[in-house]
Amino acid sequence: MRVGFIGLGNVGGKLAGSILRNGFELTVLDLNPLLVESFVARGATRGDSPKQLAESCDVVITCLPSPAACAAVVEGENGILEGIGPGRIWAEMSTTDAAETRRLAELVIARGAEAIECPVSGGCHRAATGNIAIFAGCARPTFEKALPFLTVLGRRVLHTGDIGSASILKVVTNYLATANLVALAEALTTCKAAGMDLNTSYEAIRISSGNSFVHETESQVILNGSRDISFTMDLVAKDIGLFQKIAEDNDVPLELSPLLNRIFADGIERYGPRELSPNIIKRLEDATSLNVLAPGFPAEMLDDEPEESGYEVVPHRGEPASNKREAAGG
């Protein structure tokens, strides 16, 4: 299977690395020529344009920072639409707007090709090892066709329904992670202010009902001081803004979500849009004149689990069933 990959940023570069590492024929494209060169040096082919990738690859994957960027790549000059046709798949791995994903997917399908949205969740460190989770929204026959390469990109693959469903669920999970991050920033700062040992505080949270994936990852880089989780405040603001829009479009009167949006708007105003997202804790450090730091924590998260073959996750429907279905070809 020939795979084209457009967007080699923090997440996209790691996902593309899994494709290359597992022996697929890979063509890459990015605005940053240094990122492209690093993949060419490892055996990938340099792409000329989204159109050329769509013409020459069985699957074209986009992993881009915004809906506008994706639209430009799909329907712009020399875009994917100019080259895609029957027998090809467009796979959108960005965190984006569900309605915009559906619109672009319809354009791709009108060309006789297939479309799947497959955003990932679980942290950049798991994207690097192929152990990340993938939400896949598309027609079931398209999902079956895409599963062999999806199970290389991620370990747990969930078919969420039609196009748009995966985008909604991805935004929901990012919103929940953001709520947890802000709560942890408050908890850790309060522990520091109360004179608690922060190494002990970390362990107390980790072994208790207050534990979470965010605590076991982002709290560590917060306490290290690097605050580097390969995610920035502008991306958080985009994601929680998309979640707020979904709620408003469906007449859900949220209370916590507007507050989170205001908190990150303030963080961006204070520290800039490209500030690392865990540094939202700086708002509290500045207000209290405290440094929420502790020795012995890593500067970045690394996935220490071995890479495993991916599989489809089957939603629980109330009847006894395995939660694991072996992937085709894997």
Side-chain angles (χ1 to χ4, degrees):
M1 183 178 286
R2 297 163 298 173
V3 179
F5 207 107
I6 303 173
L8 303 173
N10 285 333
V11 176
K14 294 176 175 62
L15 294 169
S18 290
I19 290 288
L20 190 61
R21 186 172 63 253
N22 283 278
F24 286 79
E25 184 180 332
L26 179 67
T27 304
V28 295
L29 194 64
D30 194 277
L31 293 176
N32 185 336
L34 295 179
L35 296 177
V36 173
E37 287 299 329
S38 71
F39 272 87
V40 171
R42 286 182 278 161
T45 300
R46 181 187 295 102
D48 295 327
S49 67
K51 175 185 177 181
Q52 181 255 324
L53 263 64
E55 289 173 336
S56 61
C57 298
D58 302 299
V59 179
V60 180
I61 299 171
T62 49
C63 191
L64 299 163
S66 69
C70 187
V73 165
V74 173
E75 59 185 346
E77 184 177 358
N78 287 319
I80 288 172
L81 284 179
E82 294 185 14
I84 205 162
R88 311 296 196 203
I89 299 174
W90 169 53
E92 166 63 300
M93 301 199 76
S94 317
T95 301
T96 188
D97 177 71
E100 178 69 352
T101 302
R102 282 191 290 264
R103 184 184 73 82
L104 294 174
E106 288 172 1
L107 296 175
V108 168
I109 292 169
R111 298 296 178 103
E114 297 177 78
I116 178 172
E117 51 160 357
C118 39
V120 297
S121 184
C124 284
H125 62 299
R126 288 186 176 172
T129 58
N131 287 330
I132 203 162
I134 298 179
F135 301 153
C138 59
R140 183 70 199 188
T142 301
F143 176 79
E144 299 284 357
K145 187 181 294 185
L147 199 54
F149 75 84
L150 292 179
T151 52
V152 166
L153 290 164
R155 182 187 297 184
R156 300 171 181 88
V157 183
L158 176 65
H159 183 219
T160 58
D162 294 334
I163 292 279
S165 60
S167 291
I168 291 174
L169 289 172
K170 168 61 174 176
V171 168
V172 167
T173 59
N174 277 18
Y175 163 76
L176 290 170
T178 301
N180 201 188
L181 172 61
V182 171
L184 285 164
E186 293 187 349
L188 293 172
T189 306
T190 300
C191 285
K192 177 74 171 183
M196 302 301 297
D197 176 77
L198 289 181
N199 294 76
T200 303
S201 299
Y202 173 85
E203 292 300 334
I205 296 169
R206 188 183 67 83
I207 66 173
S208 73
S209 58
N211 192 35
S212 66
F213 174 82
V214 176
H215 177 60
E216 292 191 357
T217 54
E218 300 197 41
S219 287
Q220 294 203 59
V221 296
I222 285 174
L223 292 170
N224 170 273
S226 77
R227 313 291 164 80
D228 186 3
I229 206 70
S230 298
F231 209 68
T232 52
M233 289 190 182
D234 58 338
L235 295 177
V236 172
K238 179 201 73 173
D239 292 349
I240 60 177
L242 288 170
F243 176 80
Q244 179 66 31
K245 183 178 183 299
I246 292 168
E248 291 172 355
D249 289 347
N250 290 279
D251 301 318
V252 182
L254 301 182
E255 297 177 274
L256 182 57
S257 174
L259 176 59
L260 291 176
N261 277 272
R262 290 195 297 272
I263 287 171
F264 269 88
D266 181 67
I268 288 170
E269 184 176 351
R270 290 170 183 255
Y271 312 118
R274 302 303 293 169
E275 180 62 79
L276 293 164
S277 57
N279 257 332
I280 200 68
I281 198 173
K282 287 176 66 176
R283 296 171 69 252
L284 295 170
E285 290 180 315
D286 292 347
T288 60
S289 299
L290 296 172
N291 291 317
V292 183
L293 302 170
F297 290 98
E300 63 177 334
M301 296 309 303
L302 299 175
D303 186 11
D304 57 4
E305 295 184 32
E307 185 172 3
E308 295 184 4
S309 298
Y311 57 88
E312 180 185 357
V313 174
V314 180
H316 180 64
R317 301 294 184 188
E319 71 280 1
S322 171
N323 69 342
K324 182 171 178 177
R325 179 182 297 162
E326 293 301 323

